[in-house]
Amino acid sequence: MAESKVLIVGGTGYIGRRIVKACLAQGHETYIVQRPELGLQIEKLQMLLSFKKQGAHLVQASFSDHQSLVDAVKQVDVVISAVSGVHFRSHSILLQLKLVEAIKEAGNVKRFLPSEFGLDPARMGHALEPGRVTFDDKMTVRKAIEEASIPYTYISANLFAGYFAGSLSQMGSFVPPRDKVHLFGDGNLKAVFMDEEDVATYTIKAIDDPRTLNKTLYLRPPENILSQGELIGIWEKLIGKELDKTYISAQDFLTTLKGMDYKLQVGIGHFYHIFYEGCLTDFEIGEKGEEASKLYPEVNYTRMDEYLRIYV
């Protein structure tokens, strides 16, 4: 069976660029939306041109031009959206409703992967304000997909290592501390840390897999299920030094959160559910989900001791 043709929306973004690379590497004919405004963003434009050199097709389309989206979608079998859902950058989740309309009209797409790649929004109905807006918006997109009877796969990638592992999950830095470190609660609740390249690899593996059709693919490889304390322990071993530890109670965390700018509250509020509730690992994957490392044991995913070595 021929590999699916894939359209990637948001192909110059943080996870989108990695999805493009994985799509090309796995032999798919790859199309990337080139929005008109990127002509004035030289780094993104040059990234698109570099993907073109590697064999990708650039497709002119815009969220403000419905027909251009329909025309783009008609060229492919699979659509992957990687638009930003991070409030301190730009929050574009609901723009995908326009993409859903285009896919519905085109009528040819056999799989749509909306932009999620984090916590499973279906499990976050209890989330704190204002951070819950992220999950509510993603569920709005899911509802539109399912009401339009568009075949889908949702990717729950948990924690991007660049944000959460490299920093030892500290707020306000993306590099690991070498003297003092803050732990949330007792630091013992388990989370899941994923190398972004592996997120992209598993995502592309899933697009033609009947086992992931109309399901959520959870990226939960067993050796990357770690507590914050265990992650810090890996770093301490790598640098040969024990860090001075401060433990932040849930009440102190929430008090600090309330004093932050709105955009920071949205993103950092998710820390509460991850590290004080253990929301990434406190459930079993049911019949509507699959676990990526079980489906694709051939993927040699990056363990966090290997990931953190680059920071030493």
Side-chain angles (χ1 to χ4, degrees):
M1 187 176 67
E3 301 282 2
S4 289
K5 296 179 180 180
V6 182
L7 176 70
I8 299 168
V9 184
T12 61
Y14 183 75
I15 195 64
R17 71 188 72 170
R18 293 169 169 89
I19 291 172
V20 170
K21 286 171 59 181
C23 199
L24 290 167
Q26 293 183 42
H28 293 274
E29 192 167 344
T30 303
Y31 296 73
I32 311 169
V33 167
Q34 180 178 355
R35 293 178 291 122
E37 57 267 32
L38 289 186
L40 291 175
Q41 298 179 45
I42 189 65
E43 290 183 357
K44 290 187 175 183
L45 176 60
Q46 289 181 342
M47 189 186 306
L48 286 174
L49 294 174
S50 73
F51 288 143
K52 186 178 180 181
K53 285 182 180 178
Q54 296 169 53
H57 307 278
L58 304 184
V59 182
Q60 297 284 339
S62 172
F63 282 114
S64 61
D65 182 348
H66 173 72
Q67 190 58 48
S68 72
L69 288 177
V70 174
D71 292 343
V73 165
K74 282 183 176 179
Q75 299 182 59
V76 300
D77 309 298
V78 173
V79 177
I80 302 174
S81 174
V83 300
S84 175
V86 182
H87 273 74
F88 60 78
R89 288 183 179 169
S90 61
H91 186 69
S92 306
I93 294 300
L94 291 181
L95 277 178
Q96 294 176 109
L97 295 175
K98 298 183 178 182
L99 189 55
V100 170
E101 287 300 312
I103 292 169
K104 181 179 178 181
E105 181 174 326
N108 61 292
V109 169
K110 67 179 186 181
R111 195 83 63 99
F112 177 42
L113 284 68
S115 185
E116 294 201 355
F117 305 108
L119 286 66
D120 180 0
R123 301 191 56 82
M124 299 307 295
H126 68 292
L128 297 172
E129 296 283 5
R132 65 170 298 126
V133 65
T134 302
F135 311 117
D136 291 345
D137 285 356
K138 289 179 178 179
M139 289 305 295
T140 297
V141 174
R142 284 192 181 192
K143 184 173 184 287
I145 292 168
E146 292 169 27
E147 287 182 348
S149 298
I150 295 169
Y152 64 84
T153 298
Y154 303 137
I155 305 293
S156 178
N158 295 303
L159 304 182
F160 289 164
Y163 284 92
F164 287 91
S167 66
L168 306 185
S169 300
Q170 303 300 287
M171 295 183 287
S173 176
F174 293 136
V175 294
R178 292 178 176 267
D179 297 304
K180 300 178 181 180
V181 66
H182 293 92
L183 288 88
F184 302 106
D186 60 12
N188 290 331
L189 287 181
K190 300 285 188 177
V192 188
F193 301 89
M194 292 297 305
D195 183 314
E196 292 86 343
E197 306 291 339
D198 294 337
V199 172
T201 296
Y202 283 126
T203 296
I204 300 302
K205 288 268 185 186
I207 62 176
D208 284 327
D209 190 341
R211 298 172 296 178
T212 61
L213 179 62
N214 296 336
K215 289 186 177 182
T216 299
L217 181 68
Y218 294 92
L219 278 51
R220 198 194 277 186
E223 291 187 49
N224 284 10
I225 301 173
L226 301 165
S227 68
Q228 188 192 11
E230 288 171 327
L231 187 70
I232 291 167
I234 291 170
W235 177 243
E236 289 176 327
K237 186 175 180 181
L238 285 171
I239 65 172
K241 177 183 178 181
E242 186 171 341
L243 303 183
D244 182 27
K245 299 175 179 65
T246 299
Y247 296 85
I248 304 173
S249 71
Q251 187 57 51
D252 286 345
F253 177 85
L254 291 173
T255 299
T256 301
L257 183 67
K258 288 178 182 177
M260 293 180 179
D261 172 82
Y262 172 81
K263 290 182 179 180
L264 289 175
Q265 284 191 52
V266 171
I268 292 177
H270 300 168
F271 278 61
Y272 181 83
H273 304 293
I274 296 163
F275 295 111
Y276 291 100
E277 295 181 346
C279 70
L280 301 183
T281 58
D282 66 351
F283 64 95
E284 297 295 325
I285 297 172
E287 61 182 16
K288 289 293 289 179
E290 298 287 349
E291 199 285 303
S293 67
K294 290 181 180 178
L295 291 187
Y296 314 112
E298 70 276 10
V299 176
N300 182 25
Y301 63 88
T302 301
R303 280 67 172 173
M304 288 302 103
D305 56 345
E306 179 186 351
Y307 188 91
L308 284 172
R309 288 181 195 278
I310 193 66
Y311 295 93
V312 175

